[in-house]
């Protein structure tokens, strides 16, 4: 049996821009309960609200799914991505596919170039952690006498990477470009490790401190 939460999400998938009253009628519970569930769904970034004017009087709130909310439902994106990469690899070859992923990593880093220019390494790493989190990684890092150890506890590309391990160069290139230092990959989830681990050496300025 579907939960109330799932019923609300499915209703908004089919009827985006629904009001509380419309959701209450569709789901079969009262408006107060709908409000409670919507507050929770908004906190989880699955639903967003907006004001809509309708005639005279106060505007009403309407609700739609966020991108994250839409992703709660099964899609064919993964199968399509794998098929596209398989076709591209047949036409271009593995090295060309690798080069494409490297360029994607460079482009992501380039979007933040102005924000990180001239910042010290540790501030760049903190910002990098935020960027990688948005990309779907679960990131942690520690500093030691030799530099920083950046650990990714998950791989958002894992299911694609099983068939196309060339995708690993995307995050490696992104990290290297973002930090402007060489990055040593010490372990990789796709190669059987528990985590992806990157060693980031200290810059000359930081090593002299």
């Amino acid at each position: 049996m579907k939960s109330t939460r799932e019923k609300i999400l499915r209703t908004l998938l089919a009827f985006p821009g629904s009001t509380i009253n419309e959701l209450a009628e569709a789901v079969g519970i009262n408006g107060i309960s709908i409000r409670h569930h919507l507050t929770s769904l908004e906190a989880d970034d699955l639903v967003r609200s907006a004001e809509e004017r309708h005639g005279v009087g106060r505007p009403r709130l309407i609700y739609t799914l966020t991108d994250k909310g839409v992703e709660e439902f099964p899609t064919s994106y993964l199968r399509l991505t794998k098929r596209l990469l398989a076709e591209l690899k047949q036409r271009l070859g593995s090295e060309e596919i690798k080069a494409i992923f490297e360029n994607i990593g460079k482009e992501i880093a380039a979007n933040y170039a102005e924000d990180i220019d001239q910042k010290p390494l540790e501030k760049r790493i903190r910002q990098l952690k935020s960027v990688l989190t948005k990309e779907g990684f679960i990131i942690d890092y520690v500093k030691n006498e030799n530099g920083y150890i950046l650990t990714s506890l998950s791989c958002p590309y894992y299911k694609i990477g099983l068939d196309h391990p060339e995708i690993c160069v995307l995050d490696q290139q992104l990290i290297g470009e973002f930090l402007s230092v060489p990055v040593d990959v010490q372990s990789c989830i796709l190669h059987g490790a528990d985590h992806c681990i990157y060693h980031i050496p200290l810059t000359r300025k930081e090593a002299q401190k």
Side-chain angles (χ1 to χ4, degrees):
M1 180 178 292
K2 296 183 180 69
S3 67
T4 300
R5 182 183 174 96
E6 185 180 352
K7 287 178 182 177
I8 293 172
L9 292 175
R10 286 188 175 276
T11 300
L12 291 176
L13 182 67
F15 305 102
S18 294
T19 65
I20 288 176
N21 288 340
E22 289 167 343
L23 287 169
E25 183 177 351
V27 175
I29 60 175
N30 60 50
I32 294 176
S33 296
I34 286 288
R35 287 178 189 274
H36 173 76
H37 284 289
L38 288 170
T39 298
S40 174
L41 290 167
E42 284 192 279
D44 291 338
D45 192 29
L46 298 174
V47 167
R48 69 168 63 93
S49 60
E51 289 187 345
E52 179 186 68
R53 293 198 171 276
H54 61 115
V56 181
R58 296 174 58 186
R60 62 184 181 180
L61 285 178
I62 59 172
Y63 294 84
T64 57
L65 297 180
T66 62
D67 289 344
K68 183 179 177 182
V70 173
E71 289 171 2
E72 290 286 297
F73 298 92
T75 67
S76 298
Y77 294 150
L78 179 60
R79 288 198 302 276
L80 176 60
T81 301
K82 286 185 174 183
R83 288 168 180 166
L84 283 171
L85 287 173
E87 181 67 22
L88 285 171
K89 195 180 292 185
Q90 285 185 4
R91 293 171 181 262
L92 301 177
S94 181
E95 287 304 310
E96 285 81 358
I97 294 297
K98 183 177 177 182
I100 290 173
F101 285 132
E102 287 178 342
N103 286 333
I104 292 172
K106 289 179 182 178
E107 288 176 4
I108 295 173
N111 290 332
Y112 298 90
E114 291 185 5
D115 294 336
I116 62 176
D117 187 37
Q118 304 301 318
K119 283 186 178 180
L121 182 58
E122 183 155 8
K123 285 190 176 181
R124 287 183 178 224
I125 290 176
R126 285 203 296 267
Q127 191 166 349
L128 173 65
K129 178 180 178 180
S130 175
V131 170
L132 289 174
T133 299
K134 291 178 182 178
E135 293 294 321
F137 294 86
I138 301 174
I139 295 293
D140 196 8
Y141 73 90
V142 295
K143 183 178 181 182
N144 58 33
E145 65 276 10
N146 296 316
Y148 297 85
I149 300 297
L150 184 71
T151 302
S152 176
L153 305 179
S154 66
C155 175
Y157 315 131
Y158 181 76
K159 291 185 178 180
I160 295 173
L162 291 173
D163 295 323
H164 305 286
E166 300 88 356
I167 201 170
C168 281
V169 300
L170 191 160
D171 47 288
Q172 295 167 21
Q173 192 72 39
L174 167 59
I175 294 168
E177 292 284 329
F178 202 99
L179 302 178
S180 298
V181 295
V183 176
D184 177 30
V185 182
Q186 298 187 333
S187 68
C188 176
I189 292 173
L190 287 176
H191 296 158
D194 291 332
H195 311 303
C196 292
I197 298 177
Y198 310 89
H199 174 248
I200 301 161
L202 295 173
T203 61
R204 183 177 300 178
K205 184 182 293 186
E206 286 198 324
Q208 292 172 348
K209 288 182 180 180

